[in-house]
């Protein structure tokens, strides 16, 4: 059997440098984790505020808009005559004719 040699103790300056390096690595890892968490929170907040798939409104707002559009389409179908309105731009009046099918 061969005797295994026990590791030699390191000089004090080497131990100090290794401890300092371990502190730096720990600090760097914590900063990276914090940056990742902040990035995730900002991205999550941006998606939550803009709505799913980039829609500007919430589901309730979109549902009420759809209901209003459907109701308006049904009421305008009964009267299919073209409507006219005027638009004022820089002092001139131009008639606009629209017709819904």
């Amino acid at each position: 059997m061969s005797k295994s040699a026990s590791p030699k103790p390191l000089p004090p300056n080497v131990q100090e440098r290794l401890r300092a390096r371990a502190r730096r690595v720990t600090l760097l890892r914590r900063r990276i984790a914090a940056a990742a968490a902040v990035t995730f929170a900002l991205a999550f907040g941006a998606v939550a505020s803009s709505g799913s798939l980039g829609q500007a409104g919430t589901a309730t707002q979109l549902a009420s808009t759809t209901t209003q559009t459907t109701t308006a389409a049904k009421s305008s179908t009964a009267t299919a005559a073209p409507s006219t309105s005027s638009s004022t731009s820089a002092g001139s009046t131009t008639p606009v004719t629209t017709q819904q099918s």
Side-chain angles (χ1 to χ4, degrees):
M1 284 195 157
S2 66
K3 287 185 170 181
S4 63
S6 61
K8 288 194 307 186
L10 297 173
N13 63 345
V14 173
Q15 288 178 350
E16 184 180 322
R17 286 187 358 215
L18 288 174
R19 283 191 202 108
R21 181 176 185 259
R23 282 191 299 267
R24 286 192 308 269
V25 168
T26 301
L27 183 61
L28 183 62
R29 286 180 180 163
R30 286 181 183 168
R31 286 180 182 171
I32 290 171
V38 168
T39 302
F40 175 78
L42 288 174
F44 188 82
V47 169
S49 68
S50 68
S52 177
L53 300 175
Q55 295 173 347
T58 62
T60 306
Q61 290 173 338
L62 294 173
S64 66
T65 304
T66 304
T67 305
Q68 291 171 356
T69 305
T70 305
T71 306
K74 287 180 183 177
S75 66
S76 68
T77 308
T79 60
S83 62
T84 59
S85 64
S86 62
S87 172
T88 305
S89 175
S92 65
T93 305
T94 307
V96 178
T97 304
T98 59
Q99 181 176 1
Q100 294 180 346
S101 55

